[in-house]
Each structure stands twice: as C-alpha cells, then as structure tokens.
Amino acid sequence: MTEKDTNKKMGLLHRFSLITLVAIYVLILVGGIVRSTGSGMGCPDWPKCMGRWIPPTEESQLPANYKEYYSGKRAEKNLKFAGYLRAFGFDESADRILNDESILIESDFNKYKTWVEYINRLTGVVIGFCILITCFFSLRLFKESKTIAILGVLSLVLTVFQAWFGSIVVSTNLVPWTITIHMFLAILMVAFLVYLYFVSGKRVNINLADNSRTKLKAILVACMVIGVVQIFLGTQVREAIDLIAAQMGTANRHNWIGELGMEFIVHRTFSWLVLILHGLLLFYMMKKNVISKLVYALLGVVFLSIFTGIVMAYFGIPASVQPVHLLLGTLIFGLEFLLFLQFSVKRGH
C-alpha cells in the first residue's frame, strides 16, 4: 500500500473520530440536561420508551396498569444484575438493590421528561453509528497500526457496554453509583477517541529537551488526575443535591447549597488546586516557549468551569447551568489528554 493510500485512510479516521468526539460531548451535555431536569426515568424501559419506539405524548395512550407493568420489568432486570454483582463479589451492592423498595416506585407520566430522555437516547443511537464507522476506519489501518485498530474495536465494545449499562441505570431507578460509573465510562470513551484523533493527524514537532518534556508531562498528569478526582467529587455533590431536592422540592432550590455537607466544601476547595495547577502549566509552557492555542483553549475552559461553579453556588443551582458545568469538566480532561499526547506519543506521519 502506498503512503498516499495510508495518508488518505488516516485522514478519514482523523476527521470521523473528531465528529464522534464532538457527538459524545453533545451526549454528555444532553445527559446533564436529563439529570438536571429530573428526566432520567422519563422512559422507564429500555431500549424502547414506554413500550414504543416513539414515546406517547399523553398518559391516556398508556395502559391503566403501566406503573405496575414497568416496575415488574425493572424488577426482573435488577434480579439479573444483582446476580452479576454477586458473581464479582459485590454482595452488599446486590442486596441493597434488591432490598430497596423505592427503586421500583414508578413515577407519574410526564410528557416533557419522557421526551427529554427520549432525545438523550436518540443522541446515543447517533453516537453508536458514529463509533461503528470510526471502528471501521480504524480496522482499515490494521496493517499500518495494530494499536489504532485495537482501540477502534475497544471503542465499539465500550459503546455497547455503555448502552447496556445505561439500561441498568434505568432499571435501578437512577441508583447514584450507577450514574457515576456511567459518567466515567463516557470519559473513557473520550480518551479513546482523543487518542485516535491524535495518532491519525499530522505530526507536530515540538522542540523541547527530554528533561523539560518529562516535567511538562508530569504537570499534565497531575492536572488530569486532579481533574478526574474533581469530576468524581462533583458526582458526589450531585448525588447529595438529588437527595436534598427530593426532600425539599424544586421550589426551595435556592436553599439546597446550604444543606450540603463536606462533599461540597471539598469539591469547592479542589477547584483552587485545579486553578493553581493550570496556572503552573501555563507558566512552565511560556517559560519553555511551547505555548499553543490548545493551552489557551484549555485555560479558557477551566475558567468557565470555575465560573459556572460559582454561579451554581451563589445563584441557587440554576438547572440550565448544571449540564454546562458537567460538560466543561469533561472537556477539560479531553483537552489535557490531547496536550499530553502532543508531548509523549510518536505519530506515523
């Protein structure tokens, strides 16, 4: 195969992995909207919604016993899932799911929440096709790079697993730890696609001594680790807010922050560490004269993330800001990882 053919295949993968990456970020945003509006159980079954491929718009279109029916279906799925958990030694989690009667309580039909969740699922279907095409383009490069081909296949496998696990999130009625795992699987998908996007692009030679390169990568690793921890802490705050919202109601949204405990204080404190580390990154890159537009984009997203956090803390956690805050946090990780790859991975062309 000629170099021209290889470059053409790389170019196709490069462009389509970027399209897929953007689509995943759109899904993360839509998923955030689903959670901030409390629409996660708008479709109590999976993959259909209210037993239909196109959901109803009125409760009269549903059978009289729809709550009992979908509750029973979820109970069956939860029993199977509990069996999987026991097989891996998570007996306590299995017992908690099976013994928590609130998991099977079916919500009243709300057409707005149903359609918000339905749009979320449609977005997931689009991404599934995008991942499938990305995998195809990756496999075409098997002879040139087995790593690219393997990552393409892993991305597809992870997407299928993510879709299945999404059904578990629904069947367990949004048990907090399942939502957290669902979120981190999405971040892992971002990492796979950022890598495919990077290795299939054109080489950018960065003139930097090995010891300076090592220090810079260390700073970036620290930024990524703290960023992932910060996302995890954010999920804990989100879980606490869900409980408070259930107790106080949405009319008292402005009082939610005051009811939060240590998880909010730690999350807020970590934002300073995120800011300091990225300030150090900017200082070191300017010192070594390797500053780039990507770094400025990263810093801009960091400031926006902190700003949206401040807005939520002091303005009653606006539902419109919550999904944006989540999106920015995951976007920070993607930009950090791309920057890390620029200083560590050798590319073929």
Side-chain angles (χ1 to χ4, degrees), residues 7 23 108 150 159 201 229 236 301 306 320:
N7 289 340
D108 293 331
I150 291 171
T159 301
V229 171
Q236 303 309 296
V301 176
I306 293 174
S320 59

Side-chain angles (χ1 to χ4, degrees), residues 27 38 41 58 62 70 74 91 95 98 111 185 195 200 215 222 226 254 266 313 317 319 333:
L27 181 60
M41 291 305 294
E58 301 293 338
L62 297 170
Y70 291 122
R74 288 194 288 113
D91 293 345
D95 291 338
L98 294 178
K111 63 181 179 181
L185 287 174
Y195 185 89
S200 59
K215 290 180 182 178
I226 293 300
H254 59 284
V266 175
I317 317 179
F333 172 81

Side-chain angles (χ1 to χ4, degrees), residues 188-252:
L188 185 58
M189 289 173 65
V190 166
F192 284 170
L193 286 164
V194 167
Y195 185 89
L196 288 173
Y197 169 76
F198 176 79
V199 295
S200 59
K202 294 182 179 180
R203 169 176 283 181
V204 177
N205 293 317
I206 300 174
N207 185 21
L208 195 63
D210 288 345
N211 61 333
S212 297
R213 189 182 298 269
T214 301
K215 290 180 182 178
L216 183 56
K217 289 195 297 182
I219 296 173
L220 281 166
V221 168
C223 286
M224 285 188 287
V225 170
I226 293 300
V228 170
V229 171
Q230 182 70 325
I231 290 173
F232 173 75
L233 292 172
T235 63
Q236 303 309 296
V237 173
R238 177 69 244 187
E239 289 173 12
I241 288 175
D242 287 344
L243 292 174
I244 293 169
Q247 296 169 358
M248 300 181 64
T250 55
N252 296 304

Side-chain angles (χ1 to χ4, degrees), residues 93-164:
S93 296
D95 291 338
R96 194 156 51 241
I97 287 174
L98 294 178
N99 296 328
D100 187 352
E101 295 181 359
S102 65
I103 285 179
L104 298 179
I105 296 176
E106 195 65 42
S107 302
D108 293 331
F109 175 76
N110 182 307
K111 63 181 179 181
Y112 300 107
K113 292 183 178 182
T114 293
W115 276 84
V116 168
E117 170 60 13
Y118 181 64
I119 291 171
N120 179 45
R121 294 189 183 186
L122 287 181
T123 307
V125 171
V126 171
I127 287 175
F129 282 112
C130 288
I131 290 286
L132 188 61
I133 297 171
T134 301
C135 179
F136 170 73
F137 286 142
S138 300
L139 288 173
R140 292 179 68 197
L141 289 159
F142 181 80
K143 291 182 179 179
E144 290 79 7
S145 173
K146 290 181 175 59
T147 300
I148 288 177
I150 291 171
L151 275 178
V153 172
L154 286 177
S155 298
L156 180 59
V157 171
L158 182 59
T159 301
V160 173
F161 180 79
Q162 177 77 316
W164 170 80

Side-chain angles (χ1 to χ4, degrees), residues 278-289 291 299:
H278 285 86
L280 177 62
L281 175 66
L282 176 63
F283 171 78
Y284 194 79
M285 294 191 74
M286 291 181 69
K287 180 180 178 182
K288 297 299 178 181
N289 197 29
I291 201 73
L299 292 172

